[in-house]
Amino acid sequence: MASTGLLVISNFKQTQQTLKAIEKYVHSLYVHINVPGSVTPVPSWGRFISQLYVDGATLLTSCEKLNMNILVGPLKQQGTFDSLRLKPIDMIFSDARCTEVCEQLRQQLQIEKPPIYLADDAVVTDLCEHQQTKPLDKLQVYENVVLGGTFDRIHLGHKILLTQAVLRACSRLVVGVTTQEMTKSKILNELILPVEQRISELREFLQEIDSTLHYEIVPIDDPYGPTNSDPNMDMIVVSSETLRGGERINEIRAKNNLKLLDIYCIDLVENSDGKGPKENKISSSNARIDLLGTRLRQPEYHTNLPSDIYIIGLTGNIASGKSKMAQRFQSLGATVMDCDKIAHEIYEPGQICYEQIIQHFGRSILDNGRIDRSKLGATVFSNPKELERLNDIVWPELLKEVKRRIQGLPIIPNEIKIVILEAAVLLRAGWDKEVHEVWSMLVPFDEAIRRIIARNNLTETAARDRLASQLTNKELVARSHVVFSSQWEPEFSQKQAEKAWNMLKEELQQKQLQRKHNL
């Protein structure tokens, strides 16, 4: 399969057939709209491009990772393919036999393979029939255009919004990208990429579709960014969801004696998979929800771990739903070890940690000769130094006991046993080197507080003290290979578990096949 292709489109009516024909060839696709003659005005192709993006997302279901970008630069300046010169284009496809155009592109982009013509007909274009000609005020171009957003993992909706802005800009495009200060209230905000990475990916996309513009991509800590002070702005692009924000920007500009911006509003792109917690629109929130139960990063190889037992460290903060998720994996076939229960056992009279804990914390934590965990918790969770001392006593002995139990598990020949090690302390104790990978549970802070108060019968202050001693969701994500969230219905948590389990089973089966092949 070629990695990257360039598609030359001359016929709108054939686009769906054309896209289906080439999806088996490429992972990444650039689209050149082969408009005959001069293109005026350029925004007249906005509706066509938006529809092409939607058709591509709808049709290319068998190749989920195919990345399609539609070129705007050549519509402004014919023959402008500078943005692709450094891209390794493997193949040119064309929906008509436009040999002259394709051969010029092949030479310009230094492509070895000959073009693939998906139709034998001579060039008969119907593109002009689909060019938008009215209303004229929607087809105006501006020196300086501005827009803003989070732009987390650029998706279909982003591409349409950004392309409409690029079509209408003839000199400068300013893009405000929200920082962490503005994304705290978003769904699964801990999965939002760093602003520096979002800006970098945004710049790459914009340069690819149109290298003729000057781009200013800036981080913003408020909804207005440079629009409340920059006098050299002419038009703002918004969605129907953010239209009021555009109007508010003009109110501020009026107070600051700045020129009011023309507002161009596009409709939101509907999401056909609006099931469960997903929104009924294409959004970054939906994209982050789709990440649950998938790999965020590949596991590191640890030579100290067994090859016939695959150990998953399942962690998360208090009240995040670890135990419920562990039960789901147990029902799917995993062996589960609950470190909290094992810790209970080594707290018992006569066990190794019992005397050490009493020596340090005193006999006031006892109830009928046994350690009362609620009394002990009240002492350590309000005093970080005391919590650290308890951890120094318990964690080393707990790890020894866990390893002993894992080593004692029965092994079936030619089968990899999956062990789920449920451990709230996993990352804080540095046990991530003792497992093949880390899977973490996430729940919003306020939801965790609510659960702790209801489940543990604690005050809000006590609940906050418990959470303050644990890792933040952002820290959990940074050190995890797979994450889940239990903030929605149990059925959706089950789907996350099944997605991760099926992924892991398939990977382990491939490892076994590879191992047999190497023998």
Side-chain angles (χ1 to χ4, degrees):
M1 176 184 283
S3 61
T4 306
L6 173 62
L7 171 62
V8 179
I9 284 185
S10 301
N11 295 283
F12 176 78
K13 293 175 183 177
Q14 295 181 13
T15 53
Q16 294 189 10
Q17 179 183 346
T18 300
L19 291 172
K20 289 298 289 183
I22 66 172
E23 66 171 326
K24 61 185 177 182
Y25 292 105
V26 294
H27 292 301
S28 182
L29 181 67
Y30 296 99
V31 177
H32 168 49
I33 302 172
N34 185 32
V35 179
S38 60
V39 181
T40 53
V42 175
S44 64
W45 297 101
R47 185 180 296 170
F48 174 80
I49 291 174
S50 295
Q51 187 61 51
L52 194 54
Y53 270 126
V54 172
D55 286 347
T58 304
L59 291 166
L60 303 179
T61 54
S62 66
C63 189
E64 294 179 1
K65 296 183 179 179
L66 183 127
N67 180 36
M68 185 174 79
N69 292 340
I70 301 171
L71 304 177
V72 175
L75 294 176
K76 296 181 177 181
Q77 297 179 15
Q78 285 196 337
T80 304
F81 293 92
D82 293 344
S83 61
L84 298 186
R85 289 184 185 279
L86 300 179
K87 302 292 179 182
I89 308 293
D90 299 288
M91 287 179 131
I92 293 179
F93 304 87
S94 177
D95 65 358
R97 187 163 286 280
C98 44
T99 53
E100 184 177 348
V101 172
C102 290
E103 285 300 328
Q104 287 177 352
L105 285 171
R106 182 185 173 199
Q107 293 179 19
Q108 192 173 346
L109 300 176
Q110 299 181 342
I111 300 171
E112 294 183 4
K113 297 178 181 178
I116 295 178
Y117 298 105
L118 301 171
D120 294 327
D121 301 335
V123 182
V124 179
T125 179
D126 67 355
L127 294 182
C128 291
E129 298 174 23
H130 303 278
Q131 184 179 14
Q132 183 181 353
T133 57
K134 294 180 181 179
L136 293 177
D137 62 320
K138 300 296 184 183
L139 305 179
Q140 187 176 345
V141 295
Y142 301 82
E143 284 292 315
N144 303 283
V145 176
V146 63
L147 76 162
T150 304
F151 299 110
D152 180 37
R153 297 175 175 86
I154 295 175
H155 55 64
L156 169 66
H158 292 146
K159 291 184 177 184
I160 291 175
L161 180 72
L162 291 163
T163 299
Q164 296 302 327
V166 168
L167 286 167
R168 286 161 176 78
C170 56
S171 179
R172 180 177 71 132
L173 180 64
V174 180
V175 187
V177 182
T178 56
T179 62
Q180 187 175 350
E181 283 299 311
M182 289 191 64
T183 59
K184 290 179 179 178
S185 62
K186 290 187 175 291
I187 293 173
L188 296 171
N189 61 81
E190 50 277 296
L191 290 177
I192 295 176
L193 296 173
V195 66
E196 297 82 8
Q197 184 175 347
R198 286 180 279 134
I199 287 176
S200 175
E201 292 179 359
L202 190 57
R203 188 179 300 280
E204 181 180 6
F205 170 75
L206 291 170
Q207 290 284 2
E208 282 187 356
I209 66 170
D210 185 2
S211 61
T212 69
L213 294 177
H214 170 68
Y215 296 108
E216 294 178 16
I217 308 176
V218 296
I220 56 174
D221 297 316
D222 59 66
Y224 313 112
T227 60
N228 60 8
S229 58
D230 189 336
N232 299 316
M233 288 183 173
D234 305 307
M235 193 265 278
I236 184 169
V237 177
V238 299
S239 70
S240 54
E241 188 177 54
T242 58
L243 176 58
R244 178 63 191 122
E247 294 169 344
R248 176 62 181 151
I249 284 172
N250 269 343
E251 293 169 8
I252 294 174
R253 289 180 68 87
K255 290 181 181 179
N256 295 339
N257 295 317
L258 296 172
K259 177 179 63 175
L260 299 187
L261 305 179
D262 284 354
I263 298 176
Y264 182 78
C265 181
I266 70 166
D267 293 328
L268 295 172
V269 182
E270 292 186 1
N271 175 35
S272 58
D273 182 29
K275 299 177 182 177
K278 287 189 176 182
E279 300 173 312
N280 292 319
K281 62 175 183 177
I282 300 292
S283 70
S284 294
S285 295
N286 287 351
R288 291 192 294 275
I289 290 172
D290 285 337
L291 290 175
L292 298 173
T294 69
R295 284 223 184 284
L296 300 182
R297 56 187 60 84
Q298 288 299 317
E300 304 81 6
Y301 178 69
H302 299 308
T303 56
N304 61 306
L305 297 177
S307 59
D308 49 5
I309 298 177
Y310 199 85
I311 308 168
I312 302 289
L314 178 62
T315 191
N317 290 331
I318 183 174
S320 62
K322 296 183 298 299
S323 297
K324 289 286 187 183
M325 188 59 78
Q327 291 172 14
R328 292 184 176 96
F329 288 123
Q330 188 170 35
S331 68
L332 290 168
T335 297
V336 173
M337 290 191 179
D338 185 340
C339 286
D340 195 45
K341 289 181 179 178
I342 298 173
H344 282 205
E345 295 174 19
I346 63 176
Y347 276 28
E348 289 295 306
Q351 296 299 316
I352 192 164
C353 291
Y354 181 80
E355 290 298 333
Q356 293 182 61
I357 292 173
I358 292 174
Q359 285 177 9
H360 182 79
F361 293 98
R363 304 190 69 82
S364 62
I365 63 170
L366 296 180
D367 183 11
N368 293 324
R370 305 175 75 177
I371 294 173
D372 186 324
R373 288 169 62 87
S374 62
K375 292 180 180 179
L376 181 59
T379 300
V380 300
F381 286 118
S382 60
N383 189 326
K385 289 186 178 180
E386 292 288 57
L387 178 61
E388 184 178 355
R389 178 58 187 141
L390 176 65
N391 293 339
D392 288 341
I393 294 170
V394 176
W395 286 354
E397 300 302 330
L398 178 56
L399 181 59
K400 288 179 185 177
E401 179 61 19
V402 167
K403 285 184 173 182
R404 186 189 69 78
R405 296 189 184 194
I406 290 176
Q407 290 170 358
L409 291 173
I411 301 300
I412 301 174
N414 300 319
E415 183 176 309
I416 299 177
K417 181 182 287 292
I418 299 174
V419 173
I420 299 291
L421 186 65
E422 182 193 341
V425 304
L426 186 87
L427 295 176
R428 288 179 291 133
W431 294 357
D432 44 337
K433 300 295 189 295
E434 306 294 338
V435 298
H436 289 86
E437 54 184 296
V438 176
W439 292 6
S440 292
M441 295 296 301
L442 307 176
V443 71
F445 184 84
D446 290 342
E447 174 63 13
I449 293 293
R450 186 192 66 76
R451 292 181 184 182
I452 295 169
I453 293 172
R455 188 188 71 181
N456 297 54
N457 197 27
L458 296 177
T459 64
E460 182 174 338
T461 300
R464 290 181 178 275
D465 285 342
R466 293 282 177 102
L467 279 177
S469 67
Q470 303 189 357
L471 298 177
T472 65
N473 282 350
K474 200 82 173 176
E475 290 170 324
L476 284 171
V477 169
R479 299 175 65 181
S480 299
H481 303 94
V482 177
V483 296
F484 311 95
S485 182
S486 63
Q487 61 183 291
W488 297 290
E489 296 298 319
E491 293 78 11
F492 188 66
S493 296
Q494 179 68 28
K495 288 181 179 179
Q496 296 173 50
E498 291 171 358
K499 186 194 297 186
W501 180 259
N502 292 336
M503 171 193 69
L504 180 63
K505 290 289 287 184
E506 184 176 341
E507 289 177 353
L508 294 181
Q509 286 172 4
Q510 290 298 321
K511 284 185 179 180
Q512 284 181 297
L513 290 173
Q514 186 64 42
R515 191 183 298 173
K516 289 179 182 179
H517 178 74
N518 293 335
L519 290 177

